[in-house]
Amino acid sequence: MRKLLVISCLLLIVGGVSLSFRAERKKNSYAVLPKDSVGSVKAFMSVYKVLMSARCMNCHPAGNAPLQGDDSHIHTMNVKRGEDGHGLYAARCSNCHQAENTAGLHMPPGNPKWGLPPENMKMVFQGRTPRQLALQLLDPKQNGGRSKQQLIDHMAKDDLVGWAWHPGDGRTLPPMSRAAFAAQVRLWIAKGAYAPSAKAK
């Protein structure tokens, strides 16, 4: 009888752990893998290359003016961020940037949400080292209040982020596909969300 009771207790414990693991998997779109600082950092360095490409960095500048072109020069026409990230005074992003890309070589790109991050949450990429950017992305006070799962969803599913892979004629694409990029974001976080060392470039 005692042996049967012990076996029953063990089955309940194992069952509880299994249910807990399934619930965690259901809550997150990424598997929780064993901690692996080397693998996690390697994945982030792939992510970093995408985020530092012109298609991403141009809308995450260090200053209050957006950047343009593959060379990331300052936007012409004295365009500024503004409080909400969509321009200042009458110079609104939507004046030129429509819901879709304007057809033609180097014509204004478009998306319904076109703009920079707002003044109170600038989310700067330009000039950030790999370590600085990794820590910034993981900090809800600097990433728009996102959890790790929400960060993954943003990178993998947000349509404005996705514009980077459909930027219109004459613009260079990020250095990997969006699917590969999203997979590297998930891997970075699943293996522990480690930040590269201060020496990483």
Side-chain angles (χ1 to χ4, degrees), residues 83-160:
E83 186 176 351
D84 63 358
H86 294 282
L88 188 63
Y89 307 126
R92 304 290 289 172
C93 299
S94 58
N95 292 355
C96 296
H97 298 279
Q98 306 303 307
E100 297 179 351
N101 293 336
T102 301
L105 189 66
H106 301 299
M107 293 299 284
N111 182 278
K113 298 186 292 186
W114 194 267
L116 303 182
E119 177 70 30
N120 65 354
M121 189 68 67
K122 291 184 177 181
M123 290 187 274
V124 173
F125 292 0
Q126 185 185 22
R128 295 289 193 259
T129 66
R131 180 174 180 79
Q132 288 171 337
L133 189 52
L135 294 174
Q136 176 180 301
L137 290 172
L138 293 170
D139 182 0
K141 293 180 180 179
Q142 299 184 73
N143 73 8
R146 296 180 177 92
S147 65
K148 290 185 179 72
Q149 179 58 54
Q150 290 169 329
L151 182 63
I152 290 172
D153 291 342
H154 178 68
M155 299 288 198
K157 301 174 183 178
D158 184 87
D159 61 338
L160 184 54

Side-chain angles (χ1 to χ4, degrees), residues 12-169:
L12 285 171
I13 291 170
V14 171
V17 170
S18 177
L19 286 172
S20 176
F21 179 75
R22 288 177 188 172
E24 183 68 18
R25 285 293 304 276
K26 188 174 182 181
K27 183 177 71 173
N28 297 322
S29 67
Y30 62 94
V32 179
L33 301 176
K35 300 289 185 182
D36 175 6
S37 61
V38 174
S40 180
V41 167
K42 183 179 179 181
F44 180 76
M45 292 306 294
S46 294
V47 171
Y48 181 76
K49 289 177 182 177
V50 173
L51 299 183
M52 298 304 286
S53 72
R55 297 293 75 78
C56 296
M57 190 180 70
N58 283 1
C59 288
H60 291 267
N64 282 319
L67 308 176
Q68 284 183 308
D70 287 350
D71 62 351
S72 298
H73 61 269
I74 294 176
H75 199 299
T76 58
M77 299 178 285
N78 197 33
V79 176
K80 299 298 182 185
R81 182 190 305 272
E83 186 176 351
D84 63 358
H86 294 282
L88 188 63
Y89 307 126
R92 304 290 289 172
C93 299
S94 58
N95 292 355
C96 296
H97 298 279
Q98 306 303 307
E100 297 179 351
N101 293 336
T102 301
L105 189 66
H106 301 299
M107 293 299 284
N111 182 278
K113 298 186 292 186
W114 194 267
L116 303 182
E119 177 70 30
N120 65 354
M121 189 68 67
K122 291 184 177 181
M123 290 187 274
V124 173
F125 292 0
Q126 185 185 22
R128 295 289 193 259
T129 66
R131 180 174 180 79
Q132 288 171 337
L133 189 52
L135 294 174
Q136 176 180 301
L137 290 172
L138 293 170
D139 182 0
K141 293 180 180 179
Q142 299 184 73
N143 73 8
R146 296 180 177 92
S147 65
K148 290 185 179 72
Q149 179 58 54
Q150 290 169 329
L151 182 63
I152 290 172
D153 291 342
H154 178 68
M155 299 288 198
K157 301 174 183 178
D158 184 87
D159 61 338
L160 184 54
V161 173
W163 170 88
W165 285 270
H166 305 279
D169 296 338

